[in-house]
Amino acid sequence: MTWEETVDKKRKALLALIPDQWRIRSDQLPAESERSVISFAEESNLLTAEELTITKLTVQELAGKIASGEYTATQVCQAYCHRAAIAHQLVNCLFEICFDAALEQANKLDEYFQKHGQTVGLLHGVPVSLKDQFRVKGLESSIGYVSGLGTVDEDESIVTECLRKAGAIIYVKTSVPQSLMIGETVNNIIGRTLNPYNRLLSCGGSSGGEGALVGFHGSPLGIGTDVGGSIRIPSAFNNLWSLKPSNERLPMGKLKKTVDGNESIPSICGPMAHSVGDLAYFMQAFLQQEPWKYDPKLIDIPWRETRYLEGKTGKKVFGVMAVDGIFGFDGIVMPHPPILRGIQQVIISLQKAGHTVVEWQPYKHKYATDLITAILFADGGAAIRRSIESSGEPAIPDIKQFLELKQPSIDLETLWKLQSEKYTYQKEYLNFWQQQSHIDGWILPVAPHTAVRHGDYKYYAYTSVINLLDWPAMTIPVTFADKEIDVKDMQYKSINDLDAKVYEGYDADIYDGAPVGIQLVGRRLQEEYLVGLAEQIGQALLN
């Protein structure tokens, strides 16, 4: 069977899993020229009034209404399965569908509730979508490679197991880019995943399917992974809150990866949702399952409510990245006008709320960018190349460009040297923060742009440096690009070739209406305090 035949079989099988009554008629589909489909579910009358109400609730609200008996798990599951099916037909975001198994699980949860009068956990009956990396028994985990199709998982990832113990319902797995290593989501299996806010723009990556689905309210809570920005990028692009914890806080056991054992820069999993409260609720619910009992790499740290309350109360000091007096600039690639305006909006809101804002000078970010690239691609792309070539599929453009560079692999001694350099940098940056220890958390862009035009993601350092440091980070929705306000500076003089290419890519008309988010960084393993800080920023933005 050729790779094209394998893909055709997969696409047909995926479509067949969407019930006929949930398929959108051709005359109901929005025209390709219609950029935004974010309100399609509300305007199309395809969902019932009850389904619309359910799918706009927060995770906490869903869990509360199920626990009170106002909704059954089956009602909630049905609503989200229906909305996810619509989302896929509009933005192409699903790799795996298990609606029948999900409804069966929901029915069992309802039976338990009727019999015992209580829930099995804090996520009882709450549908949760998973990035394709997470194994679910009976489903595939291709991670964007055609060679990954046809193999069904017989075991589940530790995250999947813990979610089920908390009462969550797994109903879909979402799309990722070929190799997982780019900030967009495109592959040869289902093609490109689009942004529901503007289909001319990227949904982000590599947890892009999660970003698009949760952004469309086709899921109340998504779980992604992040090795260079893969949770934060799609969250910012789709107007979502997210948390990338420190390593050793949430389990990565039994996930599908291009190659196991590469832990120099560990991939980390975390939640993506519509409110900061839902991130706190998820962490509390998940950590109640004591995942450190199942993953030996985790530290035994339960949810610390006291630290969370400390973060969300009292006046704080926030650092904001700045170079040459320009807030939001890392000194390498200048952010587009909507991003700079979003940073300023956060600064003004925090100051009005009585918080202190100071400049945060980035420490050797160019060096850090080069270092993390060398570590992540220490094998010269050999594992990616093997995974692609084994099926005969072509490399997607971004990966093709990388493989054509023919970057040589490095020997073990060189890798050890890079790991030593990483530790030295981490220590230096920690000392840098200690010299400004009054700063509670620091703010910077997620990317130099909002949701980027397809195929135009060029610069990752705003997120990847944080992975190198292994500090927790969050995304916070701020505003939306406005072509009338966010005018391109035609007099801007770039400081390097990459900066020029990124800035030239800004078009106020195309980016109009795209979500603008920022990134908040905290100290290692202080996720509770960081979530509390983020809640303060969110409250300041509302006032």
Side-chain angles (χ1 to χ4, degrees):
M1 186 181 294
T2 66
W3 75 266
E4 293 95 340
E5 291 170 332
T6 301
V7 164
D8 183 62
K9 180 181 177 182
K10 175 66 176 181
R11 292 180 180 181
K12 289 177 178 176
L14 194 60
L15 179 61
L17 291 170
I18 298 178
D20 290 340
Q21 66 270 25
W22 290 354
R23 298 187 190 182
I24 307 173
R25 298 195 316 267
S26 58
D27 63 323
Q28 292 177 301
L29 284 169
E32 289 187 13
S33 60
E34 191 171 332
R35 295 184 183 183
S36 177
V37 293
I38 198 67
S39 301
F40 180 85
E42 287 75 18
E43 297 170 354
S44 63
N45 296 318
L46 294 177
L47 294 175
T48 66
E50 181 180 82
E51 288 173 331
L52 285 172
T53 298
I54 288 173
T55 54
K56 280 304 185 78
L57 296 173
T58 67
V59 172
Q60 291 172 287
E61 289 169 340
L62 279 171
K65 290 181 181 296
I66 293 171
S68 70
E70 183 174 343
Y71 289 131
T72 66
T74 299
Q75 284 175 291
V76 172
C77 182
Q78 180 90 5
Y80 273 102
C81 287
H82 192 179
R83 190 152 182 153
I86 293 172
H88 181 64
Q89 294 171 81
L90 297 175
V91 296
N92 202 32
C93 57
L94 303 182
F95 262 7
E96 300 291 321
I97 293 173
C98 53
F99 294 157
D100 289 344
L103 288 166
E104 182 179 341
Q105 183 187 355
N107 184 59
K108 290 180 179 178
L109 288 169
D110 288 334
E111 290 176 351
Y112 180 93
F113 183 77
Q114 290 172 0
K115 181 178 180 179
H116 300 282
Q118 62 183 24
T119 60
V120 302
L122 291 179
L123 293 175
H124 181 110
V126 175
V128 176
S129 52
L130 298 176
K131 185 177 184 177
D132 190 56
Q133 276 189 277
F134 296 95
R135 298 182 192 271
V136 176
K137 188 175 182 178
L139 302 182
E140 297 172 342
S141 299
S142 68
I143 59 171
Y145 295 116
V146 175
S147 59
L149 297 176
T151 301
V152 174
D153 287 321
E154 298 180 356
D155 199 3
E156 297 198 322
S157 298
I158 295 174
V159 162
T160 311
E161 294 172 342
C162 288
L163 285 169
R164 292 196 192 280
K165 288 177 182 177
I169 295 174
I170 310 302
Y171 65 118
V172 292
K173 294 210 298 174
T174 54
S175 54
V176 298
Q178 181 191 66
S179 84
L180 302 171
M181 294 303 291
I182 66 170
E184 300 188 63
T185 298
V186 57
N187 53 73
N188 293 316
I189 298 173
I190 64 170
R192 184 180 292 278
T193 301
L194 309 176
N195 189 311
Y197 282 90
N198 185 340
R199 294 188 293 175
L200 293 178
L201 304 178
S202 171
C203 64
S206 62
S207 308
E210 283 302 318
L213 180 66
V214 180
F216 187 78
H217 287 272
S219 170
L221 176 67
I223 312 298
T225 64
D226 193 313
V227 76
S230 293
I231 289 173
R232 290 159 289 160
I233 293 166
S235 294
F237 285 11
N238 292 278
N239 200 39
L240 300 174
W241 295 79
S242 71
L243 169 64
K244 178 207 76 69
S246 307
N247 185 34
E248 302 177 335
R249 198 72 204 271
L250 295 180
M252 289 293 290
K254 298 189 286 186
L255 262 72
K256 180 72 174 290
K257 304 174 185 175
T258 297
V259 58
D260 286 319
N262 183 3
E263 300 182 6
S264 298
I265 307 291
S267 183
I268 297 164
C269 65
M272 304 160 66
H274 284 280
S275 76
V276 64
D278 282 347
L279 302 182
Y281 188 81
F282 163 80
M283 290 294 288
Q284 180 183 5
F286 192 90
L287 292 174
Q288 278 187 357
Q289 310 315 309
E290 301 180 319
W292 46 86
K293 291 184 176 180
Y294 314 105
D295 190 332
K297 295 180 180 178
L298 296 192
I299 301 174
D300 179 349
I301 306 179
W303 174 257
R304 296 165 294 189
E305 185 71 12
T306 300
R307 288 294 289 152
Y308 170 56
L309 294 175
E310 288 173 359
K312 68 181 291 186
T313 56
K315 301 307 178 184
K316 307 299 182 184
V317 179
F318 292 92
V320 179
M321 177 182 283
V323 172
D324 296 331
I326 302 173
F327 284 99
F329 181 36
D330 69 349
I332 305 169
V333 171
M334 179 66 69
H336 289 174
I339 303 300
L340 294 178
R341 180 169 62 85
I343 292 287
Q344 283 297 324
Q345 186 172 332
V346 171
I347 292 172
I348 292 169
S349 297
L350 286 173
Q351 290 174 333
K352 284 184 177 179
H355 300 289
T356 301
V357 176
V358 298
E359 288 192 19
W360 177 284
Q361 297 289 331
Y363 179 77
K364 295 170 59 174
H365 279 210
K366 177 62 172 65
Y367 167 80
T369 302
D370 294 339
L371 180 57
I372 192 172
T373 300
I375 293 173
L376 286 175
F377 297 103
D379 71 341
I384 293 174
R385 187 178 289 106
R386 282 195 305 271
S387 297
I388 293 172
E389 291 177 349
S390 60
S391 71
E393 68 168 312
I396 61 173
D398 289 78
I399 299 302
K400 181 174 183 288
Q401 185 178 20
F402 164 68
L403 293 177
E404 286 177 346
L405 294 175
K406 296 183 178 180
Q407 178 177 319
S409 60
I410 61 176
D411 58 31
L412 186 58
E413 188 173 347
T414 302
L415 180 58
W416 289 344
K417 182 176 181 295
L418 291 176
Q419 290 172 337
S420 177
E421 289 182 25
K422 180 189 75 170
Y423 174 78
T424 299
Y425 180 72
Q426 290 174 329
K427 184 68 169 65
E428 289 175 353
Y429 218 135
L430 181 60
N431 290 340
F432 178 73
W433 195 337
Q434 286 299 101
Q435 293 167 14
Q436 309 166 82
S437 59
H438 61 292
I439 295 177
D440 293 286
W442 55 288
I443 294 164
L444 71 163
V446 175
H449 38 64
T450 63
V452 72
R453 289 195 283 187
H454 298 307
D456 206 26
Y457 208 120
K458 295 181 173 66
Y459 185 66
Y460 294 87
Y462 281 104
T463 50
S464 64
V465 171
I466 312 306
N467 293 83
L468 187 69
L469 294 167
D470 191 26
W471 289 348
M474 298 181 64
T475 55
I476 301 172
V478 177
T479 185
F480 296 88
D482 186 330
K483 64 181 180 182
E484 302 299 330
I485 302 173
D486 302 316
V487 180
K488 187 174 185 177
D489 181 2
M490 303 307 293
Q491 305 302 315
Y492 175 69
K493 294 181 179 180
S494 59
I495 58 176
N496 55 63
D497 290 342
L498 179 59
D499 182 42
K501 290 177 182 178
V502 171
Y503 202 81
E504 286 168 7
Y506 178 62
D507 185 314
D509 288 326
I510 291 175
Y511 282 84
D512 188 44
V516 175
I518 58 101
Q519 186 176 187
L520 175 67
V521 178
R523 293 179 182 271
R524 187 170 186 270
L525 297 172
Q526 296 301 312
E527 285 76 17
E528 293 88 346
Y529 190 77
L530 183 66
V531 174
L533 291 179
E535 195 162 327
Q536 292 229 44
I537 294 177
Q539 190 60 47
L541 287 167
L542 289 175
N543 295 334

